[in-house]
Amino acid sequence: MKDTLKIVNHEIYISETSTRKLASECSTPLYIYDLPALKKRMAEFKDHFVSDKLNTRVIYASKAFSCLAMNQLVKQFGFSLDVVSGGELYTALQSHFDLSNVYFHGNNKSDDELKMAIELGVGTIIVDNLMEAKRLVQLNNNTERKIHVLLRVNPGIEAHTHKYIQTAFIDSKFGISTLNIEEIKAVMDTIQTNPNLQFDGFHAHIGSQIFELDAFKAEIEKICQFVQDIQNQTQINVHTLDFGGGFGVRYTDEDQPAAISTVCQTIVNEAEKQIAALDLAVKEICIEPGRSIVAEAGYQLYTIGDLKQTPNRNYIFVDGGMTDNIRPVLYQANYDFDIATNADAPKTQSVCIAGKCCESGDLLAENTLVQPYQTHDLLLVSSTGAYGYSMASNYNKLAIPSVVFVDHGKIIPIIKRQTYQNLIARETLIDQELLNL
């Protein structure tokens, strides 16, 4: 159990907030963020990703968890914001975020999304390929919007992570391989045909949930050597390098991530070293933490329903599942589970935790240890702050849960629970005559 949690009278408290109170006032399933823990992690990035030789920028990868309140917090810390869709951009707009500090990613931005970014004054667009560069130039031809541009490149670093979240192997759908110099130069030349587009540099991202700091060092070394080659061949100075994110977090005791301060200083030190050694014109370096900001500050709370024994399993059924956390099904992700209402007992019960969807694979854990339990107990899952809400669905017409911040006993609602009316709000009945046989 995390040392940020407290147990009072057998019950787990999150930021001095009773889990029973959370369940009673907000219902379950429920997404919970420990606001002081969230602020602490953001402060660590702000305080440690600094350099006396280079400008530094922290860009929150909002795909990990995007909502109005989260964007407000990002703005408060002075971070920039990474968006990957028109929907995330619209959320930034509605949260009164300074759109000049927004970075628009994506490997297949639509014309409508690019137009939206141009019209709203997005500060930086990260171009993924030559076709997109040509579309951006064409769409921005008749405007006077000044937009900074980075090109996503693929350095070919394969970090040790799940195959679905490796993003830098040679056949990745993201970016252009650094081996493909001619296409990269074609993108740079294309961007420079539009006087309102400013080519600043390159972006790279080597994967997610990476624990080996040497992987980031290898990325930085390879990108900087690539930039030297580009500068020598084109005489175009590269001023910005964005090294992405992917910093590992703790889901279970098997995960041993480096401290945020260590990750930040490793990246800064290696970048300073390589930029100086290769005499690059780079003035700014960026990182894009997402999961590493929100994951460990987040929790999910369920109510235990029916219990069932089969010849080989003891099932706990909960009132959520793959619709509110698909990561166990999609990535075989592991979590720590606690019976929040019997939290100080030893974990002696081996159980399979199953969701309520009509899918045999709807399992949050196939075999995990928990404290003794009974129906109506509360089950707490730790480190669910990243990609739980973001990837939630309405499969089986299940409503997406509400989201709250908790702060020293105070419950702060930030996203309302869907109602049944919400579920069918976009649906229409058709003329009965069309249905007659």
Side-chain angles (χ1 to χ4, degrees):
M1 184 182 299
K2 288 186 179 181
D3 55 13
T4 53
L5 301 176
K6 292 183 179 179
I7 301 174
V8 179
N9 294 328
H10 315 297
E11 178 192 351
I12 292 178
Y13 279 62
I14 306 169
S15 188
E16 302 174 24
T17 310
S18 156
T19 45
R20 281 195 175 97
K21 180 180 179 182
L22 283 160
S24 173
E25 293 189 7
C26 307
S27 301
T28 60
L30 178 66
Y31 297 106
I32 306 162
Y33 286 88
D34 181 336
L35 186 56
L38 193 55
K39 290 179 177 178
K40 180 175 182 293
R41 297 186 71 81
M42 297 179 80
E44 288 176 334
F45 277 107
K46 185 179 179 69
D47 293 343
H48 294 287
F49 191 64
V50 293
S51 168
D52 56 7
K53 300 179 177 67
L54 300 163
N55 296 327
T56 57
R57 184 183 296 268
V58 178
I59 307 167
Y60 171 62
S62 68
K63 65 177 184 173
F65 176 57
S66 173
C67 71
L68 299 177
M70 187 65 204
N71 288 351
Q72 286 181 287
L73 191 58
V74 172
K75 180 180 178 180
Q76 189 72 21
F77 274 86
F79 294 172
S80 295
L81 189 69
D82 160 358
V83 303
V84 297
S85 70
E88 288 184 354
L89 177 54
Y90 181 76
T91 305
L93 175 69
Q94 294 302 314
S95 61
H96 308 295
F97 202 89
D98 180 356
L99 298 189
S100 68
N101 285 327
V102 167
Y103 287 65
F104 197 166
H105 278 269
N107 67 294
N108 189 32
K109 305 176 194 72
S110 69
D111 283 355
D112 284 344
E113 287 175 322
L114 288 174
K115 289 176 186 176
M116 180 181 179
I118 293 167
E119 290 168 2
L120 293 178
V122 163
T124 303
I125 293 178
I126 292 83
V127 170
D128 184 83
N129 53 67
L130 181 56
M131 288 182 70
E132 183 185 340
K134 291 178 178 178
R135 289 192 296 119
L136 177 59
V137 166
Q138 183 178 16
L139 292 168
N140 201 44
N141 265 340
N142 298 320
T143 78
E144 295 184 359
R145 296 286 190 185
K146 301 290 185 181
I147 300 174
H148 297 273
V149 178
L150 300 179
L151 170 62
R152 181 162 184 167
V153 293
N154 180 346
I157 305 294
E158 293 194 37
H160 295 161
T161 187
H162 191 283
K163 66 180 181 179
Y164 293 157
I165 49 179
Q166 289 178 346
T167 57
F169 61 93
I170 195 167
D171 291 317
S172 171
K173 77 171 189 173
F174 298 106
I176 302 174
S177 169
T178 51
L179 301 175
N180 197 343
I181 296 293
E182 292 308 312
E183 185 176 356
I184 289 169
K185 289 195 291 186
V187 171
M188 296 168 68
D189 290 342
T190 298
I191 294 299
Q192 293 186 111
T193 63
N194 187 315
N196 293 320
L197 297 178
Q198 172 63 50
F199 180 80
D200 285 346
F202 298 99
H203 166 274
H205 180 73
I206 59 173
S208 297
Q209 194 62 349
I210 299 167
F211 295 101
E212 304 99 334
L213 295 181
D214 285 346
F216 297 111
K217 290 182 180 180
E219 175 198 13
I220 294 166
E221 181 179 6
K222 197 161 185 178
I223 289 295
C224 288
Q225 289 173 350
F226 156 76
V227 168
Q228 184 187 48
D229 291 341
I230 285 290
Q231 288 189 171
N232 290 340
Q233 293 183 43
T234 65
Q235 284 71 58
I236 297 173
N237 286 332
V238 172
H239 295 295
T240 301
L241 292 179
D242 183 340
F243 298 117
F247 318 127
V249 304
R250 181 196 176 279
Y251 285 107
T252 70
D253 288 339
E254 294 180 3
D255 299 325
Q256 298 296 324
I260 290 173
S261 58
T262 303
V263 172
C264 289
Q265 282 308 116
T266 297
I267 293 172
V268 168
N269 292 343
E270 188 66 22
E272 290 176 345
K273 170 186 166 184
Q274 294 294 334
I275 289 166
L278 298 172
D279 194 27
L280 304 182
V282 174
K283 300 287 190 271
E284 180 180 58
I285 58 173
C286 312
I287 55 172
E288 298 174 350
R291 177 203 312 260
S292 51
I293 286 177
V294 295
E296 293 186 50
Y299 301 85
Q300 281 180 273
L301 189 65
Y302 298 101
T303 299
I304 295 174
D306 289 340
L307 311 173
K308 185 169 75 173
Q309 284 187 319
T310 66
N312 299 301
R313 281 180 171 174
N314 294 317
Y315 278 103
I316 288 179
F317 295 153
V318 296
D319 54 353
M322 64 186 289
T323 50
D324 52 72
N325 188 351
I326 200 172
R327 294 187 69 256
V329 176
L330 189 60
Y331 300 133
Q332 295 77 57
N334 295 315
Y335 293 94
D336 277 342
F337 298 85
D338 287 283
I339 305 301
T341 39
N342 190 25
D344 50 359
K347 291 187 176 183
T348 57
Q349 309 297 303
S350 178
V351 297
C352 178
I353 300 173
K356 64 184 281 111
C357 291
C358 289
E359 289 285 340
S360 297
D362 181 21
L363 305 175
L364 295 176
E366 291 196 50
N367 185 19
T368 191
L369 288 174
V370 297
Q371 300 89 343
Y373 58 89
Q374 58 187 349
T375 191
H376 304 308
D377 272 337
L378 299 176
L379 178 76
L380 187 73
V381 193
S382 296
S383 297
T384 62
Y387 302 108
Y389 179 82
S390 293
M391 301 176 82
S393 77
N394 291 128
Y395 182 54
N396 288 175
K397 289 284 189 180
L398 293 179
I400 295 176
S402 56
V403 188
V404 299
F405 285 163
V406 290
D407 186 2
H408 295 92
K410 186 177 181 181
I411 300 173
I412 308 165
I414 61 170
I415 302 177
K416 296 178 181 178
R417 184 180 305 276
Q418 281 186 328
T419 64
Y420 290 147
Q421 289 80 8
N422 295 149
L423 287 175
I424 62 168
R426 295 178 294 114
E427 300 179 17
T428 60
L429 293 168
I430 63 173
D431 193 318
Q432 183 63 38
E433 290 183 3
L434 297 173
L435 301 179
N436 292 336
L437 299 178

